[in-house]
Amino acid sequence: MTVRQWLLIGPLVLLLAISSAPAASGQSTPTGDAAAGTCIPEGGIPEQDSYLIGMSQANEGEPWRQAMNDQISSAAAAHPELEVVFADAAQNNAKQVADVENFLQQGIDLLIISPNEAAPLTDVVAKVCAEGVPVIVLDRKVEGDQFTMWIGADNEVIGQRAGEYAAAFCAEQALDPCNIIEIRGLEGSTPAKERGDGIRAGIAANPSATIIAEQNADWLREKAIPVSQAMFQANPDVDVVYTHNDPMTEAAIISAQNAGLNLDEILFIGIDALPTPDGGIRSVIDGRIDATYVYPTGGAEAIDYAVQILEQGETPPAEVVLETEEVVDENAQELFDKFTGGGAEATPAA
Ligand code: FRU
């Protein structure tokens, strides 16, 4: 099983176009002036035999981002006229700015970007847009509206559902207080703020559910090991561990075990739910993570919209929100089978 097979998530994802930009103005000669916020030249994009797409990835070192790139490659493979070049910013904002500048030099026809952090990438994205090159922003956001469209799941809703799940656990177990610790993603990336705000909204109705400590581990499993170790040392009385992604949850589980805590008494909640051998769904099946939320990468959808923009002269919706799904013991196996393409037993494969 490879992350490529996560493509099969596609049919399950409901696309909700929640707002629409003005219609495209046709396919006549481009003037080079981008209409504000659409990045599409006034006369439309001229017809070409092939199109070059630059894909600027925040950090290829993370499994979820490898899945996004794989989905983009697989979807683009169905369109021989598309060539996609990838750049890895390795979680470095300055490198990502340089990657995008480099794409402009190469003469890309469209930019797909999943920005490392919002503020530092906003200007370069606006620059691409101003040059009449359409920009699809994936998952993490930039500031303002100088891009063609954004595609991603609603991180605040995901956080809120996680909070409601935690609050229900606290109530069921009659825990008062019910101590929650939170391990957060990179602070300047928009999902970290949204997932943090979301859980606070989700637990608001249960006053016994309290976030007693929060720390940042920048989305990274290796950082989350020492961070969670220190958190358990300072707060051994923990009932719920909420982390902003599954790799950090796995790290927290290891630290809790090393600290001699009873894993059965702690609720571990993550986000991503990759259907890979070491991904979140498998972890739920194996009884480590208790709940996780599907966070679709939007890679396949980005290519669909790129084709519409480049080849069909369409101005897409300004925002496309992808659906999530709660993964718990009861549905994990079923979802794993669904995402990996069949009713086979979900055994870890190479
Ligand atoms: C990978 C990742 C995912 C997370 C997403 C948020 O870089 O940390 O695990 O869901 O980014 O942008």
Side-chain angles (χ1 to χ4, degrees):
M1 222 283 298
T2 69
V3 286
R4 228 167 253 280
Q5 288 170 284
W6 201 40
L7 264 177
L8 292 155
I9 196 174
L12 189 106
V13 168
L14 294 176
L15 295 178
L16 299 173
I18 61 169
S19 58
S20 255
S25 50
Q27 289 278 352
S28 50
T29 320
T31 63
D33 296 328
T38 70
C39 324
I40 295 171
E42 254 175 35
I45 293 165
E47 205 177 316
Q48 293 166 210
D49 290 341
S50 64
Y51 298 89
L52 185 62
I53 297 177
M55 166 59 201
S56 170
Q57 183 55 275
N59 182 24
E60 278 175 22
E62 293 168 75
W64 185 86
R65 296 198 171 273
Q66 288 162 9
M68 183 194 276
N69 281 9
D70 281 350
Q71 289 176 14
I72 288 173
S73 296
S74 304
H79 297 273
E81 74 286 5
L82 299 182
E83 188 195 341
V84 185
V85 281
F86 291 86
D88 174 14
Q91 231 192 25
N92 178 325
N93 296 318
K95 162 91 167 63
Q96 194 161 24
V97 170
D99 288 344
V100 174
E101 298 272 8
N102 188 31
F103 281 155
L104 272 182
Q105 295 291 320
Q106 289 179 50
I108 52 164
D109 298 299
L110 182 142
L111 173 70
I112 303 174
I113 181 167
S114 192
N116 187 49
E117 289 183 285
L121 272 306
T122 297
D123 284 353
V124 77
V125 165
K127 179 179 170 183
V128 173
C129 182
E131 293 198 12
V133 175
V135 183
I136 299 176
V137 180
L138 273 186
D139 137 66
R140 300 183 188 172
K141 297 168 184 161
V142 289
E143 293 174 355
D145 60 1
Q146 293 305 293
F147 48 88
T148 311
M149 72 185 304
W150 170 82
I151 303 174
D154 188 328
N155 284 296
E156 202 150 338
V157 166
I158 291 174
Q160 178 158 357
R161 288 185 66 180
E164 286 161 3
Y165 193 83
F169 168 83
C170 295
E172 265 163 35
Q173 305 288 317
L175 296 165
D176 190 11
C178 185
N179 294 332
I180 302 173
I181 64 172
E182 179 188 24
I183 303 179
R184 298 175 62 93
L186 186 67
E187 220 41 59
S189 63
T190 50
K193 180 176 186 312
E194 293 159 349
R195 292 177 189 183
D197 292 349
I199 186 174
R200 284 160 180 79
I203 60 172
N206 181 344
S208 64
T210 315
I211 298 174
I212 57 163
E214 56 178 269
Q215 289 292 329
N216 204 296
D218 294 348
W219 302 117
L220 303 173
R221 181 190 167 108
E222 56 274 24
K223 272 200 183 172
I225 298 247
V227 164
S228 53
Q229 207 173 327
M231 290 178 95
F232 289 129
Q233 246 154 34
N235 312 280
D237 190 9
V238 170
D239 302 302
V240 177
V241 177
Y242 169 64
T243 75
H244 288 193
N245 71 4
D246 292 337
M248 297 194 293
T249 320
E250 296 284 5
I253 292 170
I254 292 167
S255 296
Q257 203 161 15
N258 290 344
L261 301 179
N262 184 348
L263 297 186
D264 293 337
E265 287 180 359
I266 302 174
L267 185 77
F268 289 93
I269 307 179
I271 296 167
D272 277 351
L274 279 178
T276 54
D278 50 9
I281 302 185
R282 183 80 231 170
S283 182
V284 174
I285 294 169
D286 291 346
R288 290 194 310 280
I289 295 179
D290 294 291
T292 180
Y293 295 82
V294 172
Y295 189 55
T297 72
E301 290 79 5
I303 292 298
D304 285 350
Y305 280 105
V307 169
Q308 287 185 27
I309 295 165
L310 292 170
E311 301 183 44
Q312 293 158 13
E314 282 174 29
T315 301
E319 236 176 59
V320 170
V321 180
L322 307 173
E323 279 273 302
T324 186
E325 186 137 12
E326 188 169 75
V327 183
V328 289
D329 189 41
E330 291 73 32
N331 65 355
Q333 183 72 60
E334 188 193 324
L335 287 173
F336 191 96
D337 292 345
K338 193 190 274 184
F339 294 153
T340 56
E345 263 297 285
T347 48

